[in-house]
């Protein structure tokens, strides 16, 4: 192959990766594949749960889905969940710790932290670990693991092909929504759940692929599992409008139930973290507690879809409903808090449905003429508690409606769910989905916000370790230091003035120094005399949008960032370039198409490697090359395109590949420049 051919192929590969824009047709086609696959995964997981349940509790090789409550194991029922917990512990320790938990927070973390990338092994280990945990008695649902697994499939398709981060996020959400739809035969709720928990946008570019994916996933469910809903509910009187006062009260009860359950779950999780044993043993310890509870209350074992149907159809006495509400919740928080694998939806549905049924029976007892239907209140509570705990209220209003297809349920569902949601918002800073992420330092955005600068905090983009000057330093001394070419001083056009005891007392700009030298050529004035003592500051916890607004209103180009509790303590420095870099990161996610696995396989022989990324300070720019300092190493990169707007001192991110023994830059992204 001659040099011209090599250059032509290289240019073709690079132009493919640089091509900007969101491809709706491409993503929609990929979403169809993902939806079909998610439907198959739901079917496989459903049968695996049935197989492991029959093997563990009935010693039969059968895929028939049934509850473990009718087993005849006696005291061995305590041991069986422990066996499952040990297996899950091994899979988490030696496979991937991403299988721990109920699945949805892990999918959210992939969107927030790793540009919607999920490891391939998660797509295999998550459903398998969940099937083992549930099949050995775990009080979980299959939907959380299917949502995470579907999301993993969507992410893997996005990694297999050449996609942008924005396209990959939509594909991940398509897989997650399709998993939800395929599990419960609720395609509309699957779409809304993906929008509320993963995308936080309602745009045609995401809505169209989501609908395609959930439609196909639901079609697979209909073909393989039948047309019936997951839960069967007979026609029920929802007591509208006479029952509205009682629904108001139920909304309050459900709101506090959501708050209490969320706090209890993370309290139990904290206690497991304090145990003086290796995390490997945590699932087994939690499973032991589950086994003890299951021995006395067998209905808490397993998924419990049949029990939910019994509650919705008012087939259980109030004493049993109360036992289910208390001990299903207790079994769930002990098991899930231990770090095993399983979904939250079904068990919370069971516990909250039992709570709603007990509430209706209690009102009927206290107010004999009320005539409330326990099944109706069970259904409404089922949607309200989880909707409030997860902050996906609209999704679960629709979900509960799709279960019954009874339009009479809509009014009480809307009323109770929003009341419960309001209470949860008041008492829970984070939802049951985002609390785990918040503890890891990740902030999720629950608003449908299109302005990226309103989503990024000042603390995420501010510069730290900025050079400061003392109030006593003379103007001439500072001017001489700046003229010496010190890159730390050249980086910014304004420097904070900080006293010896660490107090921020002012800021001095290049313009201030020039004016000071004009007025006093000797330059023996202290910088505090020529600088500004009236400061406009930012705080780490406010948005980049608010900081930019302060800059525009006060006509300044930079803001010292101070501790909100101690306004004289500077913790960082923010300039216009850092604020505008928010847009750069957003554009990068929208337009930078990363090479997929297929393209890498195609070009690996010619290019000799996969794309890499470095960040550092530019120390040299020339025609056809760029030198970047990364810590103490200077990287010399070849550049086959014009370098515009980059100069020494700029902080850049460079994506490059090894091409014929050279490191060839494919993209140069300016992160911060002299301001």
């Amino acid at each position: 192959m001659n040099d011209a051919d090599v250059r032509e192929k290289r240019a073709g590969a690079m132009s493919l990766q640089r091509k900007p824009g969101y491809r709706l047709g491409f993503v929609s086609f990929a979403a169809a594949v993902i939806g079909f696959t998610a439907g198959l995964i739901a079917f496989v997981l459903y049968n695996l749960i049935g197989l492991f349940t029959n093997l563990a509790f009935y010693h039969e090789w059968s895929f028939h889905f049934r509850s473990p409550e009718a087993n005849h194991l006696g005291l061995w029922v305590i041991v069986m969940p422990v066996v499952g917990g040990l297996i899950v512990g091994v899979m988490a320790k030696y496979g991937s710790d991403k299988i721990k938990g109920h699945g949805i927070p892990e999918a959210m973390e992939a969107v927030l932290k790793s540009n919607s990338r999920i490891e391939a092994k998660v797509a295999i280990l998550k459903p398998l670990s969940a099937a083992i945990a549930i099949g050995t008695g775990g009080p979980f649902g299959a939907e959380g693991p299917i949502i995470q697994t579907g999301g993993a499939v969507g992410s893997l398709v996005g990694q297999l092909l050449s996609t942008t981060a924005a396209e990959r996020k939509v594909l991940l959400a398509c897989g997650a929504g399709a998993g939800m739809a395929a599990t419960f035969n609720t395609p509309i709720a699957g779409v809304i759940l993906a929008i509320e928990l993963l995308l936080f946008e309602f745009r045609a570019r995401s809505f169209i692929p989501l609908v395609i994916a959930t439609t196909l996933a639901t079609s697979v469910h209909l073909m393989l599992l039948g047309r019936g809903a997951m839960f069967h509910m007979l026609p029920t009187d929802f007591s509208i409008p006479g029952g509205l006062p009682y629904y108001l009260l139920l909304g309050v009860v459900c709101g506090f139930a959501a708050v209490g359950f969320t706090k209890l779950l993370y309290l139990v999780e904290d206690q497991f973290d304090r145990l003086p044993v290796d995390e490997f043993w945590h699932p087994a310890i939690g499973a032991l507690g589950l086994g003890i509870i299951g021995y006395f209350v067998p209905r808490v074992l397993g998924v419990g879809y049949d029990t939910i149907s019994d509650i919705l159809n008012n087939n259980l006495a109030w004493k049993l409903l109360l036992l289910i509400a208390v001990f299903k919740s207790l079994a769930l928080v002990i098991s899930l808090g231990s770090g095993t694998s399983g979904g939250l939806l079904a068990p919370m549905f069971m516990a909250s449905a039992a709570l709603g049924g007990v509430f209706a029976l209690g009102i009927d007892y206290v107010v004999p003429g009320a005539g409330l239907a326990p099944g109706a209140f069970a259904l409404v509570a089922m949607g309200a508690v989880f909707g409030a705990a997860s902050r996906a209220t609209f999704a679960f209003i629709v979900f509960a409606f799709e279960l019954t297809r009874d339009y009479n349920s809509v009014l009480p569902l809307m009323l109770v769910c929003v009341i419960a949601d309001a209470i949860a918002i008041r008492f829970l800073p984070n939802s049951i989905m985002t609390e785990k992420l918040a503890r890891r330092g990740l902030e999720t955005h629950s608003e449908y916000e299109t302005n990226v600068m309103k989503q990024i905090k000042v603390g995420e983009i501010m510069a730290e370790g900025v050079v400061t000057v003392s109030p006593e330093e003379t103007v001439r001394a500072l001017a001489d230091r700046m003229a010496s070419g010190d890159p730390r001083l050249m980086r910014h056009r304004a420097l904070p003035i900080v006293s010896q005891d660490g107090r921020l007392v002012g800021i001095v700009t290049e313009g201030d120094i020039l004016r000071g030298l004009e007025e006093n050529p000797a330059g023996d004035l202290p910088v505090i005399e020529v600088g500004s003592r009236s400061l406009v500051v930012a705080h780490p916890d406010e948005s980049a949008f608010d900081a930019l607004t302060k800059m525009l209103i006060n006509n300044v180009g930079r803001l010292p960032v101070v501790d909100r509790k101690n306004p004289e303590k500077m913790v960082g420095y923010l300039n216009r370039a850092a604020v505008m870099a928010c847009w750069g990161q957003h554009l990068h996610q929208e337009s930078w198409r990363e090479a997929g696995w297929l393209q890498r396989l195609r070009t690996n022989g010619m290019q000799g490697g996969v794309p890499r990324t470095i960040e550092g300070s530019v120390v040299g720019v020339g025609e056809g090359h760029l030198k970047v300092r990364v810590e103490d190493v200077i990287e010399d990169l070849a550049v086959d395109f014009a370098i515009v707007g980059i100069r020494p001192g700029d902080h850049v991110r460079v994506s490059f590949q090894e091409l014929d023994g050279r490191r060839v830059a494919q993209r140069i992204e300016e992160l911060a420049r002299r301001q």
Side-chain angles (χ1 to χ4, degrees):
M1 181 181 295
N2 57 40
D3 292 341
D5 292 335
V6 171
R7 285 194 296 271
E8 184 179 353
K9 287 192 174 183
R10 183 187 304 156
M14 292 173 64
S15 65
L16 174 63
Q17 294 184 33
R18 290 178 190 159
K19 183 180 178 181
Y22 185 94
R23 300 163 294 176
L24 179 58
F26 169 83
V27 173
S28 298
F29 179 79
V33 176
I34 292 166
F36 183 79
T37 306
L40 293 178
I41 291 172
F43 175 74
V44 170
L45 180 56
Y46 190 83
N47 282 278
L48 279 178
I49 293 172
L51 174 63
F52 290 133
T53 301
N54 282 293
L55 289 175
F57 290 96
Y58 302 105
H59 303 154
E60 297 177 6
W61 182 275
S62 172
F63 293 96
H64 176 64
F65 197 94
R66 58 176 169 170
S67 172
E69 67 171 294
N71 72 84
H72 301 288
L73 296 181
L75 288 173
W76 283 103
V77 78
I78 300 175
V79 178
M80 199 54 63
V82 177
V83 174
L86 288 172
I87 297 173
V88 172
V90 171
M91 296 174 73
K93 184 169 185 176
Y94 298 103
S96 172
D97 61 356
K98 298 295 183 184
I99 68 171
K100 298 165 67 175
H102 50 95
I104 299 178
E106 288 70 26
M108 298 173 73
E109 183 179 19
V111 172
L112 295 170
K113 191 175 180 181
S114 56
N115 279 335
S116 304
R117 295 188 188 89
I118 298 179
E119 296 177 293
K121 58 185 176 182
V122 174
I124 300 173
L125 294 177
K126 183 63 180 181
L128 185 59
S129 63
I132 292 172
I134 298 170
T136 54
F140 312 116
E143 63 294 318
I146 292 177
I147 288 172
Q148 185 182 2
T149 305
V153 170
S155 173
L156 293 176
V157 170
Q159 295 175 67
L160 181 67
L161 307 171
S162 297
T163 58
T164 65
E167 291 171 338
R168 196 162 49 248
K169 180 173 75 168
V170 173
L171 293 178
L172 185 151
C174 286
M180 170 78 167
T183 305
F184 290 111
N185 192 16
T186 52
I188 304 176
V191 171
I192 299 173
L193 184 78
I195 291 173
E196 289 195 304
L197 293 183
L198 295 172
L199 289 173
F200 302 117
E201 67 174 35
F202 188 80
R203 301 165 68 178
R205 73 173 198 177
S206 53
F207 182 69
I208 292 172
L210 272 172
V211 170
I212 292 172
T214 56
T215 299
L216 285 177
T218 307
S219 298
V220 174
H221 174 100
L222 297 177
M223 288 188 296
L224 299 178
L225 295 175
R227 294 185 171 274
M230 183 63 71
F231 311 128
H232 301 283
M233 185 176 183
L234 298 174
T236 303
D237 180 12
F238 285 89
S239 303
I240 297 295
L244 284 178
Y246 304 115
Y247 283 117
L248 287 170
L249 182 58
L250 178 64
V252 176
V253 172
C254 289
F256 283 107
V259 172
F261 185 88
T262 302
K263 289 183 177 293
L264 181 60
L265 174 62
Y266 285 101
L267 175 65
V268 171
E269 191 173 286
D270 290 340
Q271 302 313 308
F272 272 100
D273 290 338
R274 294 189 179 98
L275 290 178
V277 296
D278 191 274
E279 287 187 2
F280 167 81
W281 298 102
H282 289 183
I285 296 172
L288 178 62
L290 164 66
I292 294 172
I293 295 173
Y295 177 75
F296 294 101
V297 189
R299 279 189 181 263
V300 306
L301 297 173
V303 177
Y305 292 150
D306 53 344
T307 299
I308 295 175
S309 294
D310 286 338
I311 296 173
L312 294 177
N313 290 292
N314 195 25
N315 293 332
L316 304 179
W318 72 269
K319 292 182 180 179
L320 184 54
L321 289 176
L322 189 60
L323 286 175
I324 291 172
V326 173
F327 288 102
K328 184 69 172 183
S329 300
L330 188 61
L332 178 60
V333 297
I334 291 175
S335 301
L336 200 58
S338 69
T340 192
S341 177
L344 266 177
L345 272 71
M348 284 193 70
F349 286 163
M350 182 192 294
S352 55
L355 174 67
V358 169
F359 176 88
L361 290 172
I363 294 294
D364 284 341
Y365 180 79
V366 175
V367 185
L372 304 183
F377 280 72
L379 175 73
V380 172
M382 194 169 76
V385 174
F386 195 85
S390 65
R391 304 283 167 82
T393 306
F394 186 37
F396 286 96
I397 290 174
V398 175
F399 174 84
F401 169 69
E402 282 193 287
L403 287 180
T404 62
R405 274 76 166 181
D406 186 346
Y407 191 77
N408 293 315
S409 66
V410 172
L411 288 179
L413 274 169
M414 292 171 61
L415 181 64
V416 174
C417 285
V418 297
I419 292 173
D421 193 34
I423 291 173
I425 290 173
R426 170 63 180 82
F427 292 99
L428 284 178
N430 298 292
S431 74
I432 200 168
M433 303 297 178
T434 61
E435 175 65 25
K436 183 181 294 186
L437 304 181
R439 294 181 176 201
R440 297 173 185 170
L442 296 175
E443 183 174 356
T444 56
H445 307 282
S446 58
E447 305 293 336
Y448 288 63
E449 185 59 71
T450 57
N451 190 338
V452 67
M453 288 197 294
K454 290 185 178 180
Q455 300 176 358
I456 296 179
K457 301 299 182 185
V458 168
E460 300 176 40
I461 58 175
M462 68 183 186
E464 298 178 280
V466 174
V467 174
T468 61
V469 297
S470 66
E472 298 81 13
E473 185 171 5
T474 65
V475 172
R476 172 60 64 186
L478 179 57
D480 290 343
R481 279 206 296 154
M482 296 180 74
S484 68
D486 186 341
R488 297 179 304 166
L489 294 173
M490 293 177 62
R491 181 73 175 275
H492 302 286
R493 289 178 177 168
L495 296 172
I497 304 173
V498 178
S499 64
Q500 291 184 351
D501 58 358
R503 293 185 302 110
L504 175 68
V505 295
I507 191 168
V508 61
T509 67
E510 288 181 352
D512 294 333
I513 296 171
L514 291 174
R515 284 190 295 272
L517 291 174
E518 287 177 0
E519 296 173 3
N520 183 359
D524 53 5
L525 289 175
V527 293
I528 192 65
E529 295 294 332
V530 300
S532 174
R533 303 188 191 190
S534 178
L535 295 176
V536 181
V537 300
H539 301 97
D541 58 350
E542 66 182 339
S543 70
F545 179 85
D546 292 337
L548 180 61
T549 302
K550 290 180 180 180
M551 290 181 184
L552 294 173
I553 291 175
N554 295 280
N555 194 28
V556 296
R558 69 286 305 166
L559 300 173
V561 184
V562 300
D563 189 327
R564 191 176 287 278
K565 295 181 180 178
N566 183 5
E568 293 185 335
K569 180 182 178 182
M570 191 179 79
V571 295
Y573 181 87
L574 186 71
N575 57 29
R576 285 173 297 205
V579 174
M580 296 311 296
C582 299
W583 283 110
Q585 179 64 22
H586 175 68
L587 293 174
H588 178 82
Q589 294 181 350
E590 291 286 332
S591 62
W592 175 244
R593 189 164 301 148
E594 302 173 17
W597 296 339
L598 290 179
Q599 182 182 340
R600 293 178 189 178
L601 288 174
R602 253 191 338 262
T603 59
N604 189 53
M606 178 188 69
Q607 298 182 352
V610 298
R612 291 175 53 196
T613 302
I614 59 172
E615 288 186 18
S617 178
V618 176
V619 295
V621 182
E623 186 176 351
H625 76 90
L626 176 73
K627 291 185 178 181
V628 180
R629 184 188 298 277
V630 183
E631 296 181 348
D632 296 328
V633 179
I634 294 179
E635 300 282 357
D636 195 352
L637 303 164
V639 182
D640 292 343
F641 50 88
I643 303 176
V644 180
I646 302 295
R647 58 181 178 173
D650 291 345
H651 192 64
V652 296
R653 178 189 293 123
V654 184
S655 299
F656 68 91
Q657 279 187 298
E658 299 280 354
L659 303 173
D660 304 330
R662 299 188 307 156
R663 292 187 170 186
V664 178
Q666 297 180 301
R667 176 184 173 88
I668 304 172
E669 180 184 358
E670 187 177 10
L671 300 180
R673 64 182 301 172
R674 188 169 176 265
Q675 287 288 335

